[in-house]
Amino acid sequence: MTGTSKPTIVIVPGMRDHVEDHWQTILAEQLRQAGRTVRIVPPPAWNRLSRDAHVANVVEVMVQITGSVVIVAHSAGVMTTVQWAQWHDADVRGALLAAPPDFETPLPDGYPTPDELAAYGWTPVPRKPLPFPSIVAASSNDPLASLGRVAELARKWGSRLVELGPVGHLNPASGHGPWHQAEELVEALAHGWCHAGPRPAS
């Protein structure tokens, strides 16, 4: 695999099911139409709260890929990616880590409790530097994590932090479908340009 070859894009969703108007779904279709190879990590067939089940699905997708990859993770998918990176390896050219939740602080009603997340292996959240370049895209008003906590994680992971402004959790529930900046950030990672300045979020 040469530096000019196009990596496979691996989409790592959170704990959601397939959502047509989610930016990851839209991005995957845009990339496919542009001739890119895209793989989407499916949700676990068994306990959706199990860290091991989510990580196992990433492993299953990765072993089927020849060549380099760029990971595009959102929400709990970021935590899945970080957990996977502690014990597994692949030719990862870079990772876009969007809107990571703060699993070490109580989440809003309706989300798993800290005790549940700990019981299923999600905490403590790994803080070792990631073994590949990464960009953490953070919202200033994410109900699942404060900007300060996300910035701290980005520093620990050795990631470049991109502040998106007040975009909620960057999902349809917060009024966001397409996220046009995502494709630019993916290309930056694919070409080793992850320290280049992006356009404002849109």
Side-chain angles (χ1 to χ4, degrees):
M1 180 65 64
T2 66
T4 57
S5 299
K6 292 183 177 180
T8 297
I9 309 300
V10 176
I11 307 285
V12 187
M15 295 184 188
R16 62 178 173 82
D17 288 313
H18 179 80
V19 178
E20 286 290 341
D21 56 350
H22 194 285
W23 66 265
Q24 283 182 309
T25 308
I26 296 167
L27 176 67
E29 183 57 28
Q30 289 173 334
L31 291 169
R32 286 183 177 126
Q33 290 180 2
R36 304 298 289 269
T37 301
V38 180
R39 296 293 308 275
I40 299 175
V41 176
W46 49 292
N47 196 322
R48 290 289 184 92
L49 269 183
S50 168
R51 177 202 66 184
D52 290 346
H54 283 269
V55 170
N57 282 6
V58 175
V59 172
E60 185 174 352
V61 168
M62 290 293 188
V63 298
Q64 298 175 29
I65 296 171
T66 300
S68 64
V69 303
V70 168
I71 297 170
V72 180
H74 174 253
S75 190
V78 174
M79 295 306 171
T80 300
T81 300
V82 172
Q83 295 277 359
W84 167 82
Q86 305 304 304
W87 300 285
H88 302 281
D89 192 18
D91 183 5
V92 180
R93 200 170 290 185
L96 173 57
L97 309 174
D102 182 0
F103 277 174
E104 295 175 335
T105 299
L107 299 173
D109 291 343
Y111 289 91
T113 67
D115 286 345
E116 288 175 317
L117 291 168
Y120 283 102
W122 293 101
T123 57
V125 172
R127 284 172 166 77
K128 290 168 53 178
L130 294 172
F132 41 75
S134 57
I135 295 171
V136 169
S139 169
S140 62
N141 64 343
D142 191 335
L144 302 189
S146 71
L147 181 57
R149 291 281 288 182
V150 174
E152 176 198 349
L153 289 174
R155 286 193 297 271
K156 297 291 187 180
W157 296 336
S159 307
R160 174 188 164 209
L161 180 68
V162 173
E163 296 186 28
L164 303 178
V167 297
H169 194 51
L170 196 62
N171 60 358
S174 58
H176 296 274
W179 176 32
H180 303 294
Q181 192 178 2
E183 191 167 1
E184 179 183 353
L185 294 173
V186 167
E187 289 305 313
L189 288 160
H191 291 89
W193 303 335
C194 72
H195 294 291
R199 295 190 307 267
S202 58

